[in-house]
Amino acid sequence: MTIEARLSALGVTLPAAPAPVANYVGYVVTGNLVHISGQISADENGPIKGKLGADVPVEAGAAAARRCAISLLSQVKAACGGDLEKIVRLVKLTGFVNSTPDFTDQPKVINGASDFMVEVLGDKGRHARAAVSANSLPLGVAVEIDAIFEIA
């Protein structure tokens, strides 16, 4: 099954790759690696805001991380000229969780992205990862994730 078919089976339509909001690019291709800039938690209604450990439950944080993963796939699709089958593997995710100082479930939040990537990419979606806390994130979003993909 193709990556696009898996996305379709999950009811996911990738949006256009989000445009940068400052002085950077959405992705950089170097050799066979695509480095994708941090993608913030957002959906069709705008940024998904809040702080884990205060006003956002872990499940909602994981859903926000999943939205970051969808944006990451949109970026890598743009980097591959629209062909997701060029993905060899997801190498690494780095997840930032807007959270209170005593919040310790960052891995559970970033699992929302990790689980989605494995669901969509299969074994190509198994990756190295970091899940860290941040006192605040751009626009007050709940989650931001960057990634490195290997492409053909």
Side-chain angles (χ1 to χ4, degrees):
M1 183 181 287
T2 67
I3 295 168
E4 292 282 1
R6 285 188 196 123
L7 286 167
S8 181
L10 293 170
V12 175
T13 302
L14 294 181
V21 296
N23 189 16
Y24 64 93
V25 294
Y27 60 85
V28 171
V29 178
T30 180
N32 63 342
L33 296 177
V34 180
H35 294 259
I36 300 176
S37 296
Q39 301 297 295
I40 62 172
S41 52
D43 60 18
E44 56 280 345
N45 299 314
I48 300 170
K49 299 180 178 186
K51 188 173 285 287
L52 279 290
D55 59 345
V56 177
V58 171
E59 298 77 20
R66 184 179 190 271
R67 294 301 307 200
C68 293
I70 290 169
S71 293
L72 290 166
L73 286 177
S74 292
Q75 291 288 358
V76 75
K77 183 176 182 177
C80 291
D83 184 3
L84 289 172
E85 296 308 311
K86 289 184 178 180
I87 295 172
V88 173
R89 75 168 304 140
L90 171 58
V91 177
K92 184 173 184 187
L93 291 180
T94 304
F96 302 92
V97 180
N98 184 355
S99 57
T100 60
D102 60 338
F103 184 78
T104 59
D105 283 333
Q106 293 84 356
K108 290 180 183 176
V109 172
I110 302 305
N111 277 347
S114 293
D115 293 347
F116 178 75
M117 290 298 197
V118 172
E119 193 171 13
V120 172
L121 301 174
D123 283 340
K124 294 194 258 185
R126 300 199 182 282
H127 54 275
R129 184 181 93 174
V132 298
S133 185
N135 186 47
S136 67
L137 290 172
L139 305 176
V141 296
V143 180
E144 180 175 357
I145 303 175
D146 68 15
I148 301 170
F149 285 85
E150 180 184 358
I151 59 170

